[in-house]
Amino acid sequence: MGAESAINDDSINEVFFNTSSINHVEVIENVISTLDEDNSAMVSHPQEGAYLWKFKYGTVEVFVQLTGSSDEDTITVWSSVLKLPAKDEPKMMRQLLEMNCTSTFEARFGIIENQVVVISTRTLAELSPGEVSRLITIVATIADDSDEPLEAEFGMA
């Protein structure tokens, strides 16, 4: 048995793929500070190791949830763009599905608690600071670009 047997998969993964050295909280707060135009950002710690941020971007509120710091934990970014019920929901649903295929990148439209949201979620495994920035920016931008047109066409208010 040579030196090759002394190197196992765990040590290779630790050296080359260790994401635990990335301070996800610091990265998220840095990204939010660049997007938060009116210093509205707030953070809470609903449970040990978990974080929930909220900030205003244009005309929408954006939420960022971090469930912990292990590779299996997740970052979820979402923003509400329209309250339901809505006018002509079949047309709206078709439009949202078409947008999911053509213009939402890593995000997607969905429905949570009678609200149309833009949402993206990802595990922390191999997550780079650039990907964190991209997820938050994509959700915030798509939500801000979509809320007023959706409200104008499908809103009940």
Side-chain angles (χ1 to χ4, degrees), residues 44-101:
S44 66
H45 306 280
Q47 59 191 9
E48 184 66 33
Y51 292 84
L52 178 64
W53 291 267
K54 175 176 85 167
F55 68 98
K56 187 120 170 103
Y57 183 76
T59 55
V60 296
E61 281 190 330
V62 180
F63 296 86
V64 180
Q65 180 180 38
L66 185 65
T67 61
S69 59
S70 75
D71 281 355
E72 293 78 33
D73 282 305
T74 59
I75 179 174
T76 303
V77 185
W78 75 94
S79 181
S80 177
V81 294
L82 181 68
K83 290 184 193 279
L84 297 176
K87 293 184 240 172
D88 199 355
E89 285 193 21
K91 179 181 178 188
M92 179 194 70
M93 297 296 181
R94 181 180 179 97
Q95 181 175 323
L96 295 176
L97 282 173
E98 288 171 351
M99 290 170 73
N100 277 349
C101 286

